[in-house]
Amino acid sequence: MDFKEELNAKVKIVDEYMEKFLPPAEKYPSVIFEAMRYSVFAGGKRLRPIMVMEACKAFGGDVEKAMPFACAIEMIHTYSLIHDDLPALDNDDYRRGRLTSHKVFGENMAILAGDALLHHAFETMAEACVKENDLKYTRAMLAIARGAGVNGMVAGQVVDVISEGKQIDKDTLDYIHKNKTAAMIIGALKAGAEIGGAGEEEIKKIERAGELIGVAFQIQDDILDVTSTLEELGKPINSDEKNHKVTYATMYGVEGASKIVEDMSNEALDILNGMGERMSFLSRLTEYLIKRKN
Ligand code: FPP
Ligand code: MG
């Protein structure tokens, strides 16, 4: 199997489990379950859940037991996208080639669908923690909570919002990238590593790799916002310009920013490759991310 086939097979597994962990669309009041499912099954790349699964597997863990956490982080990621697209935030009409949640279900239901996904993620993880009765699962939930909350993604989003239209410096931009995007990637890798039974040193290494991958991923996102097309990206391009945002692409130009992505990815690859053959899928995933077109 080549890498893309292997990746698609993993996406399929994530989708099967997402189906299992989400309440059925027919349940009352169905509009909220439909809205949750509309965004969850909108064709996301499933990177974060795959990172949970692969980190768990790399450290010799049982991937089946990581699935509630893998799906939970995708629920949190999906909530963040729904809210990010709202009129009060980025005000985007398209995401992944489809109308955004508030365009289909209205702003009120989009807010609630985000809330519902966030809470359902923690319900799913807490159920697994109770069932397994082993603190490593609680540590995995903590890693995801930290990545998502006001010590991570939410903080990054706050600085992103208050920086709009301002000429921010590199440190502020790095803060945004590290928190808004990298914190969830770190959370995914750390949660998987915890469930897999990794030691403290190994967890530190994977966290550092996660930070580099996460920041490089966000810079690539900013580059694609300038260089891609609506068709390829599934959402309008030049959204950063529209929202008067400083990005790596505006600060260093597309070429300069691309070089930074490459350097950061190579540093992450050095860390992963230094941890042996068991990291080979995560290494290939990192390489794939810098070459992605959406
Ligand atoms: C695209 O991920 C998303 C990012 C690069 C992260 C952006 C961060 C936010 C929007 C934070 C929002 C936070 C709040 C609290 C509203 P992806 O390319 O993996 O998307 P996909 O799932 O569609 O593939
Ligand atoms: Mg945004």
Side-chain angles (χ1 to χ4, degrees):
M1 246 199 284
D2 70 10
F3 174 74
K4 204 64 217 279
E5 283 169 349
E6 226 179 302
L7 187 62
N8 287 341
K10 291 181 199 297
V11 169
K12 209 163 155 258
I13 295 172
V14 173
D15 285 351
E16 280 163 19
Y17 278 88
M18 290 305 291
E19 180 58 53
K20 185 175 148 214
F21 286 119
L22 283 172
E26 306 77 53
K27 203 176 153 164
Y28 181 81
S30 61
V31 61
I32 190 69
F33 300 110
E34 278 164 25
M36 290 163 84
R37 284 169 170 272
Y38 175 82
S39 294
V40 165
F41 296 109
K45 294 185 286 298
R46 310 299 197 209
L47 296 174
R48 295 154 191 80
I50 289 171
M51 285 177 177
V52 175
M53 293 157 69
E54 285 303 309
C56 170
K57 196 162 117 197
F59 293 106
D62 177 355
V63 177
E64 169 89 31
K65 301 220 165 163
M67 292 318 292
F69 300 84
C71 291
I73 202 161
E74 188 69 3
M75 290 176 210
I76 297 171
H77 167 62
T78 307
Y79 121 74
S80 81
L81 299 183
I82 295 174
H83 281 193
D84 191 55
D85 291 333
L86 286 168
L89 290 163
D90 282 354
N91 192 20
D92 279 320
D93 294 351
Y94 285 91
R95 158 93 59 188
R96 298 160 167 172
R98 309 207 302 170
L99 285 171
T100 44
S101 183
H102 62 275
K103 283 280 154 192
V104 177
F105 298 95
E107 212 176 325
N108 47 11
M109 280 307 144
I111 292 171
L112 291 168
D115 294 341
L117 282 167
L118 173 57
H119 293 290
H120 198 66
F122 281 92
E123 188 174 330
T124 303
M125 288 190 285
E127 267 174 10
C129 289
V130 171
K131 180 169 163 231
E132 302 299 341
N133 193 24
D134 177 337
L135 273 183
K136 71 180 185 183
Y137 295 94
T138 313
R139 286 199 299 273
M141 180 162 70
L142 176 61
I144 291 175
R146 281 210 178 118
V150 78
N151 293 307
M153 178 177 71
V154 172
Q157 180 76 352
V158 168
V159 178
D160 193 11
V161 167
I162 61 179
S163 302
E164 253 178 49
K166 290 198 186 125
Q167 211 45 50
I168 55 168
D169 59 15
K170 184 177 179 297
D171 284 350
T172 310
L173 187 58
D174 283 343
Y175 179 92
I176 295 171
H177 286 8
K178 264 181 206 156
N179 287 279
K180 189 178 84 170
T181 308
M184 286 278 279
I185 307 280
I186 297 170
L189 291 172
K190 191 173 179 187
E194 288 281 11
I195 297 166
E200 239 174 84
E201 279 307 307
E202 293 172 313
I203 287 182
K204 266 191 211 145
K205 280 188 197 163
I206 202 133
E207 278 187 294
R208 174 68 186 142
E211 183 178 327
L212 290 160
I213 296 167
V215 173
F217 182 74
Q218 181 59 57
I219 300 174
Q220 185 67 14
D221 211 69
D222 297 345
I223 293 171
L224 289 174
D225 186 67
V226 184
T227 60
S228 193
T229 59
L230 171 77
E231 292 72 32
E232 222 160 23
L233 209 54
K235 60 180 184 182
I237 60 162
N238 295 324
S239 133
D240 293 329
E241 193 187 310
K242 179 192 94 182
N243 292 323
H244 309 286
K245 275 188 188 167
V246 174
T247 70
Y248 264 74
T250 60
M251 212 174 256
Y252 296 96
V254 167
E255 238 174 77
S258 301
K259 174 82 175 66
I260 296 171
V261 169
E262 211 182 302
D263 290 347
M264 283 187 163
S265 304
N266 284 335
E267 204 182 327
L269 286 173
D270 283 346
I271 299 173
L272 293 175
N273 294 335
M275 294 170 90
E277 176 55 28
R278 57 190 176 162
M279 292 296 163
S280 84
F281 188 84
L282 285 174
S283 292
R284 281 178 294 153
L285 184 64
T286 304
E287 282 167 359
Y288 161 80
L289 289 179
I290 52 169
K291 293 183 193 129
R292 76 198 160 96
K293 294 269 179 277
N294 68 24

